[in-house]
Amino acid sequence: MPHTNSAPQLFIGLISGTSADGIDAALVRFTGDGDTTQCELVHGHTYPWPEDLRVRLISLGQGAPVDSLDEMGTLDVRIGEHFATAALQLASDAGVAARDVHAIGSHGQTVRHRPAGAAFDGHHPFTMQLGDAHVIAERSGITTVADFRRRDVAAGGLGAPLLPALHNALLHSPQEDRAVLNLGGIANFTLLPAHGDVRGFDTGPANALMDAWCARHTGQAFDAGGAFAAQGACDAALLQRLLDEAWFALPPPKSTGREVFHLDWVEARLHGNEAAADVQATLLELTAASVADALLAHQPGTRRVLVCGGGVHNARLLERIAARLPDAAVESTARHGVDPDFVEAMGFAWLARQALLGKPGNLPSVTGARGPRVLGVVHPAN
């Protein structure tokens, strides 16, 4: 039976996103029930992947083939072990005993995302995240909830985005139309009108393309502060070729990932004589343009854009988004008491709690599923 408990409870949320730059871990305290639930970040940290594993995860996310079922099984367990280690280290760093953590919500690492309408064949939509939750529960001794996306996909949804309900709980205002912009490997919006239904959808690439191009041409994993992009100039013709991608014209609900937006996709649109810094500047502008175009098309009255995810630290990117949205304030979620680096990890702690309470985790208006569904599979601690 679903349980209810208004006493404070600690949950850990774990996620490695499209950028695969590490495991984001958040220790979250929930207090209260229902509409009165409060969600507080107690401690957050990002634990880097071993470089060989990070490289392999990125290649799989971009569609590289799996060598064998043996490799897939080994990766599943190995990722699960790293997730368990991250959870235990986070609790230790926060001075919390593992036995005092009610549950872990683990997103895992997406290696394939082929939901309904995806351009592969569409007949058998699926999404696949690795990170064996049995291993996480066994190694950590903490009840683990995982596999959050597949039920939504089975119900005809896209399996993403899954965090708009949490964004609504934390950042909605009855005084103004707001949008929460997550700048991860992929960018996505949660639209929070002052009055009306919550909506959400992916807008296209964010850090995934910029990081990959930067790593190839500078050896740095990401473009700190947009400094590399600042050395170049946006190539307007290239930007238009990138924006001509048919995916941008699709109506919501929609989601995407490295299966569409990867370096081969960029290189197919280059003439071959572009300066590396100019391409970086153009990829940054691609994110700014696709984000702004999506918001103006779907919630033009937005007065505040609240930014989270790794891209919040790219000052040049935020400047370009703000320039394209002159009627909206563009600011970090930190200004509203929500750490921008751990919003997603907090979200999977929240989804774990929803599952244990027997409550839906998806919003059909966002994912396109046939109805609300309880998301996640529970793996007891023992």
Side-chain angles (χ1 to χ4, degrees), residues 254-323:
K254 62 180 183 176
S255 68
T256 190
R258 288 186 187 272
E259 69 276 5
V260 175
F261 297 108
H262 47 76
L263 283 188
D264 287 346
W265 177 83
V266 175
E267 289 173 345
R269 289 154 178 79
L270 300 179
H271 287 158
N273 58 352
E274 294 89 350
D278 290 348
V279 175
Q280 186 74 13
T282 307
L283 293 176
L284 184 148
E285 196 66 25
L286 172 65
T287 296
S290 53
V291 161
D293 289 350
L295 188 60
L296 293 172
H298 297 287
Q299 190 172 275
T302 301
R303 290 294 168 260
R304 200 170 305 276
V305 178
L306 308 177
V307 187
C308 57
V312 74
H313 302 293
N314 189 327
R316 188 165 183 83
L317 176 58
L318 296 192
E319 288 171 3
R320 291 306 307 147
I321 293 172

Short mmCIF file of all heavy atoms in Angstrom, two decimals, residues 254-323:
data_model
loop_
_atom_site.label_atom_id
_atom_site.label_comp_id
_atom_site.label_asym_id
_atom_site.label_seq_id
_atom_site.Cartn_x
_atom_site.Cartn_y
_atom_site.Cartn_z
N LYS A 254 7.71 17.12 -27.42
CA LYS A 254 8.84 16.56 -28.15
C LYS A 254 10.06 16.50 -27.24
O LYS A 254 10.21 17.29 -26.31
CB LYS A 254 9.14 17.37 -29.41
CG LYS A 254 9.55 18.83 -29.18
CD LYS A 254 9.81 19.49 -30.53
CE LYS A 254 10.29 20.93 -30.38
NZ LYS A 254 10.62 21.53 -31.69
N SER A 255 10.91 15.52 -27.53
CA SER A 255 12.17 15.38 -26.81
C SER A 255 13.23 14.90 -27.78
O SER A 255 12.92 14.38 -28.86
CB SER A 255 12.04 14.41 -25.63
OG SER A 255 11.85 13.08 -26.09
N THR A 256 14.48 15.08 -27.40
CA THR A 256 15.57 14.70 -28.29
C THR A 256 16.82 14.44 -27.46
O THR A 256 16.81 14.52 -26.24
CB THR A 256 15.82 15.78 -29.36
OG1 THR A 256 16.73 15.28 -30.34
CG2 THR A 256 16.39 17.05 -28.75
N GLY A 257 17.92 14.15 -28.14
CA GLY A 257 19.18 13.88 -27.46
C GLY A 257 20.31 13.78 -28.47
O GLY A 257 20.22 14.29 -29.59
N ARG A 258 21.36 13.09 -28.08
CA ARG A 258 22.53 12.95 -28.95
C ARG A 258 22.23 12.12 -30.20
O ARG A 258 23.01 12.12 -31.16
CB ARG A 258 23.69 12.29 -28.20
CG ARG A 258 24.34 13.18 -27.15
CD ARG A 258 25.56 12.48 -26.56
NE ARG A 258 26.14 13.18 -25.44
CZ ARG A 258 27.06 14.13 -25.54
NH1 ARG A 258 27.49 14.50 -26.73
NH2 ARG A 258 27.55 14.70 -24.47
N GLU A 259 21.10 11.38 -30.19
CA GLU A 259 20.77 10.60 -31.37
C GLU A 259 20.49 11.49 -32.57
O GLU A 259 20.64 11.08 -33.72
CB GLU A 259 19.57 9.68 -31.10
CG GLU A 259 18.24 10.37 -30.93
CD GLU A 259 17.98 10.88 -29.52
OE1 GLU A 259 18.89 10.78 -28.67
OE2 GLU A 259 16.87 11.39 -29.28
N VAL A 260 20.10 12.75 -32.34
CA VAL A 260 19.90 13.72 -33.42
C VAL A 260 21.05 14.71 -33.46
O VAL A 260 21.66 14.95 -34.51
CB VAL A 260 18.57 14.48 -33.24
CG1 VAL A 260 18.43 15.58 -34.31
CG2 VAL A 260 17.39 13.52 -33.32
N PHE A 261 21.38 15.30 -32.33
CA PHE A 261 22.33 16.40 -32.28
C PHE A 261 23.70 15.93 -31.78
O PHE A 261 23.94 15.82 -30.57
CB PHE A 261 21.77 17.53 -31.40
CG PHE A 261 20.50 18.13 -31.94
CD1 PHE A 261 19.29 17.88 -31.32
CD2 PHE A 261 20.52 18.91 -33.08
CE1 PHE A 261 18.11 18.42 -31.82
CE2 PHE A 261 19.35 19.45 -33.60
CZ PHE A 261 18.14 19.21 -32.97
N HIS A 262 24.58 15.64 -32.74
CA HIS A 262 25.93 15.16 -32.45
C HIS A 262 26.89 15.78 -33.46
O HIS A 262 26.46 16.49 -34.41
CB HIS A 262 25.98 13.63 -32.50
CG HIS A 262 25.32 13.04 -33.71
ND1 HIS A 262 25.90 13.06 -34.97
CD2 HIS A 262 24.09 12.46 -33.87
CE1 HIS A 262 25.10 12.48 -35.84
NE2 HIS A 262 23.98 12.12 -35.19
N LEU A 263 28.19 15.53 -33.30
CA LEU A 263 29.17 16.22 -34.15
C LEU A 263 29.04 15.84 -35.62
O LEU A 263 29.31 16.68 -36.49
CB LEU A 263 30.58 15.95 -33.65
CG LEU A 263 31.02 16.73 -32.41
CD1 LEU A 263 32.50 16.52 -32.15
CD2 LEU A 263 30.72 18.23 -32.56
N ASP A 264 28.67 14.61 -35.92
CA ASP A 264 28.48 14.25 -37.33
C ASP A 264 27.37 15.11 -37.96
O ASP A 264 27.45 15.48 -39.14
CB ASP A 264 28.13 12.77 -37.47
CG ASP A 264 29.32 11.86 -37.20
OD1 ASP A 264 30.46 12.37 -37.17
OD2 ASP A 264 29.11 10.65 -37.01
N TRP A 265 26.34 15.39 -37.17
CA TRP A 265 25.25 16.26 -37.64
C TRP A 265 25.79 17.65 -37.95
O TRP A 265 25.43 18.25 -38.98
CB TRP A 265 24.16 16.32 -36.57
CG TRP A 265 23.00 17.23 -36.87
CD1 TRP A 265 21.90 16.93 -37.63
CD2 TRP A 265 22.82 18.57 -36.40
NE1 TRP A 265 21.05 18.01 -37.66
CE2 TRP A 265 21.60 19.03 -36.93
CE3 TRP A 265 23.58 19.44 -35.62
CZ2 TRP A 265 21.11 20.32 -36.68
CZ3 TRP A 265 23.10 20.69 -35.36
CH2 TRP A 265 21.88 21.14 -35.89
N VAL A 266 26.65 18.17 -37.10
CA VAL A 266 27.25 19.49 -37.34
C VAL A 266 28.12 19.45 -38.58
O VAL A 266 28.01 20.31 -39.48
CB VAL A 266 28.08 19.94 -36.12
CG1 VAL A 266 28.81 21.26 -36.43
CG2 VAL A 266 27.19 20.10 -34.90
N GLU A 267 29.01 18.46 -38.66
CA GLU A 267 29.98 18.41 -39.74
C GLU A 267 29.32 18.26 -41.11
O GLU A 267 29.84 18.75 -42.12
CB GLU A 267 30.97 17.30 -39.49
CG GLU A 267 31.91 17.63 -38.32
CD GLU A 267 32.79 16.47 -37.93
OE1 GLU A 267 32.49 15.33 -38.35
OE2 GLU A 267 33.78 16.72 -37.21
N ALA A 268 28.16 17.61 -41.15
CA ALA A 268 27.44 17.46 -42.42
C ALA A 268 26.95 18.81 -42.94
O ALA A 268 26.60 18.93 -44.13
CB ALA A 268 26.26 16.52 -42.24
N ARG A 269 26.93 19.82 -42.11
CA ARG A 269 26.45 21.15 -42.49
C ARG A 269 27.56 22.18 -42.63
O ARG A 269 27.30 23.36 -42.88
CB ARG A 269 25.39 21.60 -41.46
CG ARG A 269 24.10 20.79 -41.60
CD ARG A 269 23.31 20.72 -40.31
NE ARG A 269 22.06 19.97 -40.52
CZ ARG A 269 21.99 18.64 -40.56
NH1 ARG A 269 23.08 17.91 -40.38
NH2 ARG A 269 20.83 18.03 -40.78
N LEU A 270 28.81 21.75 -42.44
CA LEU A 270 29.95 22.64 -42.63
C LEU A 270 30.41 22.63 -44.08
O LEU A 270 30.27 21.62 -44.78
CB LEU A 270 31.12 22.20 -41.72
CG LEU A 270 30.87 22.19 -40.21
CD1 LEU A 270 32.12 21.71 -39.49
CD2 LEU A 270 30.46 23.57 -39.72
N HIS A 271 30.99 23.72 -44.51
CA HIS A 271 31.60 23.77 -45.84
C HIS A 271 33.05 23.30 -45.80
O HIS A 271 33.64 23.00 -46.83
CB HIS A 271 31.52 25.19 -46.41
CG HIS A 271 30.14 25.56 -46.85
ND1 HIS A 271 29.71 26.86 -46.97
CD2 HIS A 271 29.06 24.79 -47.17
CE1 HIS A 271 28.45 26.88 -47.37
NE2 HIS A 271 28.03 25.64 -47.48
N GLY A 272 33.63 23.29 -44.59
CA GLY A 272 34.98 22.76 -44.44
C GLY A 272 36.06 23.79 -44.22
O GLY A 272 37.19 23.46 -43.85
N ASN A 273 35.74 25.05 -44.43
CA ASN A 273 36.76 26.10 -44.26
C ASN A 273 36.46 27.01 -43.08
O ASN A 273 37.07 28.06 -42.93
CB ASN A 273 36.87 26.93 -45.55
CG ASN A 273 35.55 27.57 -45.95
OD1 ASN A 273 34.51 27.27 -45.35
ND2 ASN A 273 35.59 28.44 -46.95
N GLU A 274 35.53 26.61 -42.22
CA GLU A 274 35.15 27.45 -41.09
C GLU A 274 36.24 27.38 -40.00
O GLU A 274 36.82 26.33 -39.74
CB GLU A 274 33.82 26.98 -40.48
CG GLU A 274 32.62 27.16 -41.41
CD GLU A 274 32.37 25.97 -42.30
OE1 GLU A 274 33.24 25.05 -42.33
OE2 GLU A 274 31.31 25.92 -42.95
N ALA A 275 36.48 28.51 -39.36
CA ALA A 275 37.39 28.55 -38.22
C ALA A 275 36.70 27.88 -37.03
O ALA A 275 35.49 28.03 -36.82
CB ALA A 275 37.76 29.98 -37.87
N ALA A 276 37.49 27.14 -36.23
CA ALA A 276 36.91 26.39 -35.12
C ALA A 276 36.18 27.30 -34.14
O ALA A 276 35.10 26.95 -33.65
CB ALA A 276 38.01 25.60 -34.40
N ALA A 277 36.75 28.47 -33.85
CA ALA A 277 36.11 29.39 -32.90
C ALA A 277 34.80 29.93 -33.47
O ALA A 277 33.84 30.18 -32.71
CB ALA A 277 37.06 30.52 -32.53
N ASP A 278 34.74 30.13 -34.79
CA ASP A 278 33.49 30.60 -35.39
C ASP A 278 32.39 29.54 -35.28
O ASP A 278 31.22 29.87 -35.05
CB ASP A 278 33.72 30.95 -36.87
CG ASP A 278 34.57 32.19 -37.06
OD1 ASP A 278 34.79 32.92 -36.07
OD2 ASP A 278 35.02 32.43 -38.19
N VAL A 279 32.76 28.28 -35.44
CA VAL A 279 31.77 27.21 -35.28
C VAL A 279 31.29 27.16 -33.84
O VAL A 279 30.08 27.01 -33.58
CB VAL A 279 32.35 25.85 -35.71
CG1 VAL A 279 31.35 24.73 -35.42
CG2 VAL A 279 32.72 25.87 -37.19
N GLN A 280 32.21 27.33 -32.89
CA GLN A 280 31.81 27.34 -31.48
C GLN A 280 30.83 28.48 -31.21
O GLN A 280 29.82 28.29 -30.53
CB GLN A 280 33.04 27.47 -30.58
CG GLN A 280 32.75 27.33 -29.09
CD GLN A 280 32.47 25.89 -28.66
OE1 GLN A 280 32.71 24.96 -29.42
NE2 GLN A 280 31.96 25.72 -27.45
N ALA A 281 31.14 29.65 -31.73
CA ALA A 281 30.24 30.79 -31.55
C ALA A 281 28.88 30.52 -32.19
O ALA A 281 27.83 30.92 -31.66
CB ALA A 281 30.86 32.04 -32.16
N THR A 282 28.87 29.83 -33.31
CA THR A 282 27.62 29.53 -34.00
C THR A 282 26.81 28.48 -33.24
O THR A 282 25.57 28.58 -33.17
CB THR A 282 27.91 29.04 -35.43
OG1 THR A 282 28.75 30.00 -36.10
CG2 THR A 282 26.63 28.86 -36.22
N LEU A 283 27.48 27.49 -32.67
CA LEU A 283 26.77 26.50 -31.86
C LEU A 283 26.15 27.15 -30.63
O LEU A 283 25.04 26.79 -30.21
CB LEU A 283 27.72 25.37 -31.45
CG LEU A 283 28.22 24.48 -32.59
CD1 LEU A 283 29.22 23.46 -32.07
CD2 LEU A 283 27.07 23.79 -33.30
N LEU A 284 26.86 28.09 -30.03
CA LEU A 284 26.29 28.82 -28.89
C LEU A 284 25.06 29.60 -29.34
O LEU A 284 24.02 29.58 -28.66
CB LEU A 284 27.35 29.75 -28.30
CG LEU A 284 26.96 30.53 -27.03
CD1 LEU A 284 28.19 30.74 -26.14
CD2 LEU A 284 26.35 31.89 -27.37
N GLU A 285 25.16 30.24 -30.49
CA GLU A 285 24.02 31.02 -30.99
C GLU A 285 22.86 30.10 -31.38
O GLU A 285 21.68 30.49 -31.25
CB GLU A 285 24.44 31.87 -32.17
CG GLU A 285 23.47 32.98 -32.52
CD GLU A 285 23.37 34.05 -31.42
OE1 GLU A 285 24.33 34.23 -30.63
OE2 GLU A 285 22.32 34.72 -31.35
N LEU A 286 23.17 28.89 -31.83
CA LEU A 286 22.12 27.92 -32.14
C LEU A 286 21.29 27.62 -30.90
O LEU A 286 20.04 27.58 -30.97
CB LEU A 286 22.75 26.63 -32.67
CG LEU A 286 21.79 25.44 -32.86
CD1 LEU A 286 20.76 25.74 -33.95
CD2 LEU A 286 22.58 24.17 -33.18
N THR A 287 21.95 27.42 -29.77
CA THR A 287 21.21 27.19 -28.53
C THR A 287 20.37 28.40 -28.17
O THR A 287 19.18 28.27 -27.86
CB THR A 287 22.18 26.84 -27.39
OG1 THR A 287 22.86 25.62 -27.70
CG2 THR A 287 21.46 26.70 -26.07
N ALA A 288 20.97 29.57 -28.22
CA ALA A 288 20.23 30.79 -27.86
C ALA A 288 19.03 31.00 -28.78
O ALA A 288 17.93 31.33 -28.32
CB ALA A 288 21.17 32.00 -27.93
N ALA A 289 19.23 30.80 -30.08
CA ALA A 289 18.15 31.03 -31.04
C ALA A 289 17.03 30.01 -30.88
O ALA A 289 15.84 30.37 -30.89
CB ALA A 289 18.71 30.97 -32.46
N SER A 290 17.39 28.74 -30.73
CA SER A 290 16.34 27.71 -30.63
C SER A 290 15.56 27.84 -29.32
O SER A 290 14.35 27.62 -29.29
CB SER A 290 16.94 26.31 -30.78
OG SER A 290 18.00 26.10 -29.87
N VAL A 291 16.25 28.22 -28.25
CA VAL A 291 15.57 28.47 -26.97
C VAL A 291 14.60 29.64 -27.10
O VAL A 291 13.43 29.55 -26.72
CB VAL A 291 16.61 28.73 -25.87
CG1 VAL A 291 15.98 29.43 -24.66
CG2 VAL A 291 17.27 27.42 -25.44
N ALA A 292 15.09 30.75 -27.63
CA ALA A 292 14.26 31.95 -27.74
C ALA A 292 13.08 31.73 -28.69
O ALA A 292 11.95 32.13 -28.39
CB ALA A 292 15.10 33.13 -28.20
N ASP A 293 13.34 31.08 -29.82
CA ASP A 293 12.27 30.83 -30.78
C ASP A 293 11.16 29.99 -30.14
O ASP A 293 9.96 30.25 -30.35
CB ASP A 293 12.81 30.11 -32.01
CG ASP A 293 13.69 31.02 -32.88
OD1 ASP A 293 13.72 32.24 -32.64
OD2 ASP A 293 14.34 30.47 -33.79
N ALA A 294 11.55 28.98 -29.37
CA ALA A 294 10.56 28.10 -28.75
C ALA A 294 9.72 28.85 -27.73
O ALA A 294 8.50 28.68 -27.67
CB ALA A 294 11.27 26.92 -28.09
N LEU A 295 10.37 29.68 -26.93
CA LEU A 295 9.62 30.40 -25.91
C LEU A 295 8.66 31.42 -26.53
O LEU A 295 7.50 31.54 -26.12
CB LEU A 295 10.58 31.11 -24.95
CG LEU A 295 9.92 31.75 -23.73
CD1 LEU A 295 9.19 30.70 -22.89
CD2 LEU A 295 10.93 32.50 -22.88
N LEU A 296 9.13 32.13 -27.54
CA LEU A 296 8.28 33.14 -28.19
C LEU A 296 7.10 32.49 -28.90
O LEU A 296 6.02 33.08 -29.01
CB LEU A 296 9.11 33.96 -29.16
CG LEU A 296 10.17 34.86 -28.50
CD1 LEU A 296 11.07 35.50 -29.56
CD2 LEU A 296 9.52 35.93 -27.64
N ALA A 297 7.30 31.24 -29.36
CA ALA A 297 6.22 30.55 -30.06
C ALA A 297 5.17 30.00 -29.09
O ALA A 297 3.98 29.96 -29.41
CB ALA A 297 6.79 29.41 -30.90
N HIS A 298 5.59 29.61 -27.88
CA HIS A 298 4.69 28.86 -27.01
C HIS A 298 4.29 29.56 -25.73
O HIS A 298 3.31 29.16 -25.09
CB HIS A 298 5.30 27.49 -26.70
CG HIS A 298 5.50 26.65 -27.92
ND1 HIS A 298 4.44 26.06 -28.58
CD2 HIS A 298 6.61 26.33 -28.63
CE1 HIS A 298 4.89 25.40 -29.64
NE2 HIS A 298 6.20 25.54 -29.69
N GLN A 299 5.03 30.60 -25.32
CA GLN A 299 4.60 31.41 -24.18
C GLN A 299 5.21 32.80 -24.32
O GLN A 299 6.09 33.19 -23.56
CB GLN A 299 5.00 30.76 -22.84
CG GLN A 299 4.36 31.45 -21.63
CD GLN A 299 4.60 30.70 -20.34
OE1 GLN A 299 3.86 29.77 -20.01
NE2 GLN A 299 5.63 31.08 -19.58
N PRO A 300 4.73 33.56 -25.28
CA PRO A 300 5.36 34.85 -25.60
C PRO A 300 5.25 35.88 -24.49
O PRO A 300 6.01 36.84 -24.46
CB PRO A 300 4.60 35.31 -26.85
CG PRO A 300 3.30 34.58 -26.81
CD PRO A 300 3.61 33.25 -26.20
N GLY A 301 4.32 35.67 -23.54
CA GLY A 301 4.18 36.62 -22.45
C GLY A 301 5.08 36.36 -21.25
O GLY A 301 4.91 36.98 -20.20
N THR A 302 6.04 35.46 -21.41
CA THR A 302 6.93 35.12 -20.30
C THR A 302 7.67 36.36 -19.80
O THR A 302 8.24 37.11 -20.59
CB THR A 302 7.95 34.06 -20.73
OG1 THR A 302 7.24 32.89 -21.16
CG2 THR A 302 8.90 33.70 -19.59
N ARG A 303 7.67 36.55 -18.49
CA ARG A 303 8.36 37.70 -17.90
C ARG A 303 9.64 37.31 -17.18
O ARG A 303 10.47 38.17 -16.90
CB ARG A 303 7.42 38.42 -16.93
CG ARG A 303 6.29 39.15 -17.62
CD ARG A 303 6.84 40.31 -18.47
NE ARG A 303 5.83 40.87 -19.37
CZ ARG A 303 5.75 40.59 -20.66
NH1 ARG A 303 6.60 39.72 -21.20
NH2 ARG A 303 4.82 41.13 -21.41
N ARG A 304 9.80 36.01 -16.87
CA ARG A 304 11.00 35.60 -16.14
C ARG A 304 11.42 34.21 -16.62
O ARG A 304 10.61 33.27 -16.60
CB ARG A 304 10.74 35.59 -14.64
CG ARG A 304 12.01 35.65 -13.78
CD ARG A 304 11.66 35.90 -12.31
NE ARG A 304 10.85 37.09 -12.15
CZ ARG A 304 11.35 38.33 -12.06
NH1 ARG A 304 12.66 38.51 -12.12
NH2 ARG A 304 10.53 39.36 -11.93
N VAL A 305 12.67 34.09 -17.04
CA VAL A 305 13.25 32.80 -17.44
C VAL A 305 14.25 32.40 -16.36
O VAL A 305 15.25 33.09 -16.13
CB VAL A 305 13.94 32.88 -18.81
CG1 VAL A 305 14.58 31.54 -19.16
CG2 VAL A 305 12.95 33.30 -19.89
N LEU A 306 13.96 31.30 -15.68
CA LEU A 306 14.78 30.83 -14.57
C LEU A 306 15.65 29.69 -15.07
O LEU A 306 15.14 28.64 -15.48
CB LEU A 306 13.89 30.37 -13.42
CG LEU A 306 12.84 31.40 -12.97
CD1 LEU A 306 11.95 30.83 -11.88
CD2 LEU A 306 13.52 32.66 -12.49
N VAL A 307 16.96 29.88 -15.04
CA VAL A 307 17.89 28.97 -15.72
C VAL A 307 18.56 28.05 -14.71
O VAL A 307 19.02 28.48 -13.65
CB VAL A 307 18.95 29.76 -16.50
CG1 VAL A 307 19.81 28.80 -17.33
CG2 VAL A 307 18.29 30.80 -17.40
N CYS A 308 18.65 26.76 -15.08
CA CYS A 308 19.38 25.79 -14.28
C CYS A 308 20.17 24.89 -15.23
O CYS A 308 20.09 25.02 -16.45
CB CYS A 308 18.44 24.96 -13.41
SG CYS A 308 17.14 24.08 -14.32
N GLY A 309 20.95 23.97 -14.66
CA GLY A 309 21.80 23.12 -15.48
C GLY A 309 23.17 23.73 -15.69
O GLY A 309 23.42 24.90 -15.37
N GLY A 310 24.07 22.94 -16.25
CA GLY A 310 25.46 23.39 -16.42
C GLY A 310 25.61 24.66 -17.23
O GLY A 310 26.53 25.45 -17.00
N GLY A 311 24.70 24.89 -18.19
CA GLY A 311 24.80 26.08 -19.03
C GLY A 311 24.60 27.38 -18.30
O GLY A 311 24.92 28.45 -18.83
N VAL A 312 24.10 27.32 -17.06
CA VAL A 312 23.91 28.55 -16.27
C VAL A 312 25.25 29.23 -16.00
O VAL A 312 25.30 30.43 -15.74
CB VAL A 312 23.16 28.24 -14.96
CG1 VAL A 312 24.07 27.55 -13.95
CG2 VAL A 312 22.56 29.50 -14.36
N HIS A 313 26.35 28.47 -16.10
CA HIS A 313 27.68 29.02 -15.83
C HIS A 313 28.34 29.60 -17.09
O HIS A 313 29.45 30.13 -17.00
CB HIS A 313 28.58 27.95 -15.23
CG HIS A 313 28.03 27.36 -13.96
ND1 HIS A 313 27.90 28.09 -12.80
CD2 HIS A 313 27.52 26.12 -13.69
CE1 HIS A 313 27.37 27.32 -11.85
NE2 HIS A 313 27.12 26.14 -12.38
N ASN A 314 27.67 29.48 -18.23
CA ASN A 314 28.19 30.03 -19.48
C ASN A 314 27.61 31.43 -19.65
O ASN A 314 26.53 31.62 -20.20
CB ASN A 314 27.79 29.12 -20.65
CG ASN A 314 28.47 29.51 -21.95
OD1 ASN A 314 28.73 30.68 -22.20
ND2 ASN A 314 28.75 28.53 -22.79
N ALA A 315 28.36 32.41 -19.17
CA ALA A 315 27.85 33.79 -19.15
C ALA A 315 27.52 34.28 -20.55
O ALA A 315 26.52 34.99 -20.75
CB ALA A 315 28.88 34.71 -18.49
N ARG A 316 28.34 33.90 -21.51
CA ARG A 316 28.08 34.38 -22.88
C ARG A 316 26.77 33.80 -23.42
O ARG A 316 26.01 34.49 -24.10
CB ARG A 316 29.24 34.02 -23.80
CG ARG A 316 29.13 34.65 -25.19
CD ARG A 316 30.44 34.59 -25.95
NE ARG A 316 30.33 35.25 -27.24
CZ ARG A 316 30.47 36.56 -27.43
NH1 ARG A 316 30.71 37.35 -26.40
NH2 ARG A 316 30.38 37.08 -28.65
N LEU A 317 26.51 32.54 -23.11
CA LEU A 317 25.26 31.93 -23.57
C LEU A 317 24.06 32.65 -22.95
O LEU A 317 23.08 32.95 -23.65
CB LEU A 317 25.23 30.45 -23.20
CG LEU A 317 23.96 29.69 -23.52
CD1 LEU A 317 23.62 29.76 -25.01
CD2 LEU A 317 24.07 28.23 -23.05
N LEU A 318 24.12 32.93 -21.66
CA LEU A 318 23.00 33.64 -21.03
C LEU A 318 22.82 35.03 -21.61
O LEU A 318 21.68 35.50 -21.78
CB LEU A 318 23.22 33.72 -19.52
CG LEU A 318 23.24 32.40 -18.75
CD1 LEU A 318 23.15 32.66 -17.24
CD2 LEU A 318 22.12 31.46 -19.18
N GLU A 319 23.92 35.68 -21.94
CA GLU A 319 23.82 37.01 -22.56
C GLU A 319 23.10 36.92 -23.90
O GLU A 319 22.26 37.78 -24.22
CB GLU A 319 25.22 37.59 -22.77
CG GLU A 319 25.93 38.03 -21.50
CD GLU A 319 27.37 38.39 -21.75
OE1 GLU A 319 27.81 38.34 -22.93
OE2 GLU A 319 28.08 38.71 -20.77
N ARG A 320 23.42 35.91 -24.69
CA ARG A 320 22.80 35.79 -26.01
C ARG A 320 21.31 35.42 -25.89
O ARG A 320 20.48 35.89 -26.67
CB ARG A 320 23.54 34.75 -26.86
CG ARG A 320 24.94 35.18 -27.26
CD ARG A 320 24.95 36.53 -27.97
NE ARG A 320 24.02 36.52 -29.08
CZ ARG A 320 23.31 37.58 -29.49
NH1 ARG A 320 23.41 38.75 -28.84
NH2 ARG A 320 22.50 37.49 -30.53
N ILE A 321 20.97 34.56 -24.92
CA ILE A 321 19.56 34.25 -24.71
C ILE A 321 18.80 35.50 -24.29
O ILE A 321 17.71 35.80 -24.80
CB ILE A 321 19.41 33.13 -23.66
CG1 ILE A 321 19.97 31.82 -24.21
CG2 ILE A 321 17.94 32.96 -23.25
CD1 ILE A 321 20.05 30.71 -23.18
N ALA A 322 19.38 36.26 -23.37
CA ALA A 322 18.73 37.49 -22.89
C ALA A 322 18.56 38.49 -24.03
O ALA A 322 17.54 39.19 -24.11
CB ALA A 322 19.55 38.10 -21.76
N ALA A 323 19.56 38.56 -24.93
CA ALA A 323 19.46 39.50 -26.06
C ALA A 323 18.31 39.13 -26.98
O ALA A 323 17.68 40.00 -27.58
CB ALA A 323 20.78 39.50 -26.83
#
